[in-house]
Amino acid sequence: MFSGGLKFLTENSKRSKKPKMETSDLEYTGTEDQHIPIDLFGSKKHAGVPRGILAFTDASGNIVFKVHRQPPDPNSSSSLKDTKLLLDSNDNPLFSIHRHHNGIWKCYKGSGDENKELVLQVKRTVKTITKVELEVFFAGERLKDNDTCDLKVIGSPFKRSCSVYKDGDLVAQSSLMYKLNQIYVSRGKFRLTIFPGIIDRGLIVALFVIFLNGRK
């Protein structure tokens, strides 16, 4: 387990080049630093992706991230309730997202093996019909103390609407695809806006995937 999750994210975000990935088990190196907000568009009906698979595209319609659900092991005695993999456009596993009992999620680098490096832990603090709040702790001293969180996620999974905050500053925000004079808005497609900063885009998408399942 590494210490100082923010240091890990910052160092990786400053790299100008990524190492060539030859196998799907290589460690995730993060994304390059960006200076403008970006929009990602999430849906389970993107062209070129099997129906029912949640994927995120950029403004040009290019697949950037995909989310695959791993079937549970019926013989396992673990407290795991669900595992999802966040993949890049080439199907390389970036993060594995493990849902445990009592509103706890853990996110690891790479594939779904819990022996991989822990990146962050998420704890649900509010759960109502219309609202969910999550506290995010990067691996390191704060996670040990479990006192002061690094990020907060607040919103409504049903409306696909949430805001991600770091020390009161807005890091990312999601919403349905509203249009002028539109009476009915489909919940099948939504926008995720990620603002410039040191938080890796892949981690933000992983947090949004956790948020969507925040009431489970």
Side-chain angles (χ1 to χ4, degrees):
M1 181 181 297
F2 66 89
S3 62
L6 285 175
K7 179 180 178 182
F8 163 76
L9 296 176
T10 306
E11 290 177 349
N12 281 299
S13 66
K14 291 181 179 177
R15 296 182 182 178
S16 60
K17 294 183 179 180
K18 299 178 183 179
K20 183 178 180 181
M21 299 191 74
E22 297 179 351
T23 70
S24 61
D25 286 328
L26 289 182
E27 292 183 349
Y28 179 55
T29 59
T31 55
E32 299 176 0
D33 188 23
Q34 301 293 329
H35 302 287
I36 59 174
I38 66 160
D39 285 331
L40 297 177
F41 301 91
S43 176
K44 293 184 178 182
K45 297 181 180 179
H46 286 303
V49 179
R51 192 176 182 87
I53 298 295
L54 177 60
F56 295 82
T57 67
D58 59 18
S60 299
N62 302 308
I63 299 295
V64 182
F65 299 106
K66 290 180 281 188
V67 181
H68 283 200
R69 182 177 182 273
Q70 288 191 324
D73 183 359
N75 299 317
S76 175
S77 59
S78 171
S79 63
L80 279 178
K81 300 290 290 181
D82 182 58
T83 299
K84 290 183 172 65
L85 288 181
L86 180 66
L87 311 175
D88 66 11
S89 57
N90 295 316
D91 288 340
N92 295 306
L94 303 179
F95 299 106
S96 59
I97 303 165
H98 300 249
R99 180 169 67 91
H100 295 259
H101 291 286
N102 301 322
I104 297 292
W105 289 261
K106 294 182 179 181
C107 183
Y108 297 85
K109 287 181 12 179
S111 61
D113 187 352
E114 279 194 290
N115 294 320
K116 294 281 185 177
E117 189 171 331
L118 179 66
V119 178
L120 57 81
Q121 179 171 300
V122 176
K123 178 175 67 175
R124 183 177 60 217
T125 56
V126 174
K127 174 187 175 183
T128 68
I129 296 177
T130 59
K131 185 178 182 180
V132 164
E133 291 189 14
L134 307 173
E135 292 187 346
V136 182
F137 301 85
F138 290 122
E141 294 302 320
R142 286 192 177 186
L143 179 56
K144 294 178 182 179
D145 297 337
N146 205 25
D147 184 18
T148 305
C149 64
D150 295 286
L151 301 172
K152 283 190 176 183
V153 185
I154 303 172
S156 170
F158 179 80
K159 295 180 179 179
R160 307 293 191 257
S161 172
C162 77
S163 298
V164 183
Y165 297 96
K166 179 184 182 298
D167 298 327
D169 295 327
L170 188 61
V171 174
Q173 198 167 41
S174 69
S175 65
L176 294 174
M177 303 292 289
Y178 291 97
K179 295 181 180 180
L180 188 64
N181 298 325
Q182 186 176 8
I183 298 176
Y184 173 76
V185 180
S186 171
R187 295 173 59 247
K189 187 175 183 180
F190 41 86
R191 176 189 290 110
L192 175 62
T193 301
I194 303 175
F195 299 100
I198 63 172
I199 309 300
D200 183 87
R201 292 175 179 174
L203 272 183
I204 294 296
V205 174
L207 286 177
F208 184 70
V209 171
I210 292 173
F211 166 76
L212 290 178
N213 294 275
R215 296 193 68 251
K216 293 185 176 180

